[in-house]
């Protein structure tokens, strides 16, 4: 190649590379603008599973944008108390929160439907309804009236029924019992004589220790072990019939969310779904070891009696009927959940139930 030809081709290549570089930088800058949000959690840092969900969400978003979209996570109490997280996001005090919607049941029972209500769906069923049964859209119709946008951002799986200072064998044993239990469950239990108390996670242990309350439900073996309830209330009951599959939500101030680039909105939805799956997987991995440690430490594991479960189921249905009669938006969402619940448990009792039952029998027989 002669000198003139070499210079000509080299110049064209150089100009092409320079042009590509000049075009690429602005494109990246426009696609990934600098955004910094604050997120307040309803949970203390000691609960690495449920509090950690917000940190996982933040990590996914940051990594996907080369650090341009930052979500700073604050534990309960650092900006606002844990049970005021959604209020702070709605007001714009922060752009986001990580919370469980049934904490705000007192404002409108519709809040609880997005998370968990008594004798509804388990975790897999709840996720199926959210992602493929229209649940996300139905709940966001409501959240929009509150100045929020929300997406599932975690699930604990079916929870335990709680820690009690004394044995609970019959419905009569529940009368006068002061129990930390929130939302819809508290409404049902109140009809059976329980005095419901709503406390944030960090306040439960001292209340049990002092005898201010007689019982408390929280999450399940791994988180309950961390909070040490077995030391002051040894009777550990199951299942948490009010939380068959509670959804933890990432909620965003609606104006802030709507102001994001479409790519960032899409990323938040995707990151929330990944966070949702990650939390449930983590609980499924950690709970088996935790329950063994709790029993070894003195926890007295017992199922709720059929009498108690049946009474709670019947009372729940009465509350649902009252809510449907007085709250049309509640009825719309609850009818959607009910319709899918009938189909879901019809199917779940076939292959899943029989496979799980067979494997459990093998485990009890020492074969696995």
């Amino acid at each position: 190649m002669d000198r003139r030809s070499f210079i000509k081709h080299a110049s064209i290549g150089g100009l092409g590379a320079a042009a590509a570089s000049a075009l690429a930088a602005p494109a990246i800058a426009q696609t990934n603008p600098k955004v910094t949000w604050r997120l307040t959690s309803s949970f203390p840092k000691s609960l690495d599973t449920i509090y950690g969900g917000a940190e996982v969400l933040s990590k996914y978003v940051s990594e996907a944008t080369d650090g341009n979209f930052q979500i700073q996570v604050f534990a309960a109490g650092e900006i606002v108390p844990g049970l005021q997280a959604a209020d702070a996001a709605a007001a714009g005090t922060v752009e986001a929160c990580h919370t469980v919607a049934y904490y705000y049941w007192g404002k409108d029972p519709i809040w609880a439907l997005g998370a968990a209500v008594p004798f509804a769906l388990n975790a897999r069923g709840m996720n199926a309804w959210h992602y493929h049964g229209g649940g996300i859209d139905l709940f966001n119709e409501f959240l929009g009236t509150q100045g929020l946008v929300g997406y599932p951002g975690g699930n604990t799986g079916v929870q335990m029924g709680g820690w009690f200072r004394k044995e609970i064998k019959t419905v009569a044993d529940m009368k006068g019992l002061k129990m930390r239990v929130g939302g819809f469950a508290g409404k049902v239990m109140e009809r059976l004589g329980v005095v419901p108390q709503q406390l944030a996670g960090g306040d439960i242990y001292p209340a049990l220790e002092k005898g201010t309350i007689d019982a408390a439900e929280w999450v399940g073996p791994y988180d309950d072990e961390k909070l040490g309830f077995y030391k002051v209330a040894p009777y550990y009951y199951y299942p948490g019939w009010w939380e068959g599959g509670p959804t933890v939500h990432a909620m965003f101030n609606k104006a802030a969310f709507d102001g994001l680039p479409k790519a960032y909105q899409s990323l938040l939805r995707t990151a929330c779904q990944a966070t949702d799956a990650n939390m449930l997987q983590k609980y499924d991995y950690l709970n088996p070891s935790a329950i063994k440690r709790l029993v070894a430490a003195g926890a007295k594991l017992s199922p709720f009696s059929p009498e108690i479960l049946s009474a709670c189921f019947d009372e729940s249905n009465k509350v649902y009927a009252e809510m449907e009669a007085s709250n049309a938006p509640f009825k719309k969402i609850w009818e959607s959940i009910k319709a899918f619940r009938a189909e879901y448990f019809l199917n779940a009792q076939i292959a899943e139930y029989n496979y799980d039952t067979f494997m459990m029998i093998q485990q009890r027989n020492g074969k696995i």
Side-chain angles (χ1 to χ4, degrees), residues 287-336:
N287 277 332
S289 297
I291 193 66
K292 290 193 290 185
R293 291 193 300 269
L294 284 168
V295 171
K300 303 179 189 303
L301 199 59
S302 299
F304 282 125
S305 69
E307 177 195 339
I308 290 175
L309 287 176
S310 294
C312 292
F313 181 81
D314 292 342
E315 212 58 53
S316 295
N317 285 334
K318 293 177 185 176
V319 175
Y320 284 132
E322 293 170 7
M323 293 296 173
E324 288 179 289
S326 62
N327 189 326
F330 178 96
K331 181 179 180 180
K332 178 182 178 181
I333 300 177
W334 176 232
E335 284 187 339
S336 175

Side-chain angles (χ1 to χ4, degrees), residues 17 23 131 141 152 164 208 230 243 300 366:
L23 288 171
Y131 293 108
E141 284 181 18
F164 294 73
L208 275 173
Y230 63 93
E243 293 183 276
K300 303 179 189 303

Side-chain angles (χ1 to χ4, degrees), residues 87-269:
D87 300 321
T93 305
V94 294
E95 291 82 7
C97 68
H98 193 234
T99 189
V100 185
Y102 54 52
Y103 289 156
Y104 314 99
W105 148 276
K107 296 193 295 182
D108 191 315
I110 297 174
W111 283 94
L113 292 173
V117 290
F119 300 103
L121 294 159
N122 62 18
R124 282 182 60 176
M126 198 68 182
N127 276 330
W129 175 74
H130 271 306
Y131 293 108
H132 297 283
I136 290 175
D137 291 339
L138 282 170
F139 195 48
N140 268 322
E141 284 181 18
F142 167 72
L143 288 182
T145 68
Q146 310 297 308
L148 294 165
V149 174
Y151 295 97
N155 201 302
T156 67
V158 61
Q159 294 193 1
M160 295 291 284
W163 298 87
F164 294 73
R165 292 165 62 91
K166 65 176 185 178
E167 287 188 272
I168 304 295
K169 296 181 178 180
T170 67
V171 172
D173 293 334
M174 299 174 70
K175 295 188 184 302
L177 200 73
K178 297 189 294 293
M179 182 175 180
R180 185 273 180 193
V181 58
F184 210 138
K187 180 80 169 177
V188 173
M189 286 191 167
E190 191 173 30
R191 294 177 174 226
L192 297 175
V194 172
V195 182
Q197 311 285 316
Q198 183 132 309
L199 299 173
D203 299 328
I204 299 173
Y205 184 93
L208 275 173
E209 186 178 36
K210 295 173 184 176
T212 307
I213 57 176
D214 305 303
E217 61 82 30
W218 179 235
V219 179
Y222 182 73
D223 283 346
D224 291 4
E225 180 188 31
K226 279 181 169 291
L227 295 181
F229 300 142
Y230 63 93
K231 299 174 185 176
V232 289
Y235 297 96
Y236 200 20
Y237 282 88
Y238 61 89
W241 46 264
W242 50 91
E243 293 183 276
T247 298
V248 182
H249 269 85
M251 297 182 188
F252 311 109
N253 177 274
K254 191 174 189 307
F257 182 86
D258 289 345
L260 289 173
K262 295 297 183 183
Y264 277 12
Q265 293 179 5
S266 178
L267 172 60
L268 277 178
R269 289 191 291 268

